[in-house]
Amino acid sequence: MEELEQQVPAEVKLIVTEEMRSYIYETTKWARFLSIIGFILSAFLIIGSFGIGAAISANPSMLAQLGPLAGAGGIAITIFYLVLALMYFYPSLLLFRFSNKGKQGVLFGDQESLNDAMLNIKSLFKFWGIFTIVIMILYFLFVMLFAANMAIK
């Protein structure tokens, strides 16, 4: 057991090659593009959320078309779209931060900026991983509820 503890490797230093720097630089360009598109979609969702909520609240025939969701009304639809906008905004923000910090780190050889860029990309993947797990659980619950409902009838 003591042998394993004594064989702790020395500090590992990674080298960022020119090829890797070019890959990171090109990735930051695409990340910036995707983040700006995400910001625009978030803005459209926010604007649309108030418009849809107001239209549903003002028009009873539109409210009747929602079927079982009609009880929620326009406010619930507005809140749903605002949450959806937030779900687009946060990953777009992480991508934008990655783009800025990654570009600065590559162009100026700034290790701290490159570390921050990797932190943002890690947070982005963590967000999408947790979001995916939640969606999978919700799908499973909906299937189970549907099956239980069919078994009852």
Side-chain angles (χ1 to χ4, degrees), residues 49-79:
S49 70
F50 294 112
I52 290 172
I56 288 173
S57 296
N59 191 347
S61 65
M62 201 177 211
L63 190 62
Q65 291 177 355
L66 290 176
L69 296 175
I75 293 175
I77 301 295
T78 299
I79 291 171

Side-chain angles (χ1 to χ4, degrees), residues 21 24-25 28 32 97-114 116-117:
R21 286 174 52 142
I24 294 170
Y25 185 71
T28 61
R32 179 177 293 273
R97 288 178 182 167
F98 164 75
S99 172
N100 287 339
K101 294 292 187 171
K103 186 176 181 180
Q104 181 179 350
V106 167
L107 290 179
F108 300 114
D110 185 2
Q111 185 66 48
E112 188 175 332
S113 291
L114 195 57
D116 289 344

Side-chain angles (χ1 to χ4, degrees), residues 15-41:
I15 298 171
V16 179
T17 64
E18 285 302 314
E19 185 178 17
M20 292 168 64
R21 286 174 52 142
S22 71
Y23 293 155
I24 294 170
Y25 185 71
E26 187 163 337
T27 303
T28 61
K29 289 179 184 179
W30 284 106
R32 179 177 293 273
F33 169 73
L34 292 172
S35 68
I36 290 171
I37 296 298
F39 289 144
I40 292 169
L41 285 174

Side-chain angles (χ1 to χ4, degrees), residues 138-153:
L138 288 175
Y139 280 153
F140 178 75
L141 289 175
F142 285 139
V143 167
M144 296 306 285
L145 287 173
F146 180 76
N149 189 25
M150 293 303 286
I152 290 172
K153 292 182 180 182

Side-chain angles (χ1 to χ4, degrees), residues 81-138:
Y81 274 96
L82 287 174
V83 168
L84 197 58
L86 182 64
M87 297 297 289
Y88 269 98
F89 179 80
Y90 181 66
S92 298
L93 180 63
L94 291 173
L95 265 180
F96 189 74
R97 288 178 182 167
F98 164 75
S99 172
N100 287 339
K101 294 292 187 171
K103 186 176 181 180
Q104 181 179 350
V106 167
L107 290 179
F108 300 114
D110 185 2
Q111 185 66 48
E112 188 175 332
S113 291
L114 195 57
N115 289 345
D116 289 344
M118 292 300 116
L119 174 68
N120 282 298
I121 208 73
K122 178 209 65 111
S123 297
L124 175 71
F125 282 115
K126 184 177 179 181
F127 170 81
W128 280 118
I130 292 169
F131 182 75
T132 301
I133 291 168
V134 169
I135 293 298
M136 289 172 61
I137 290 170
L138 288 175

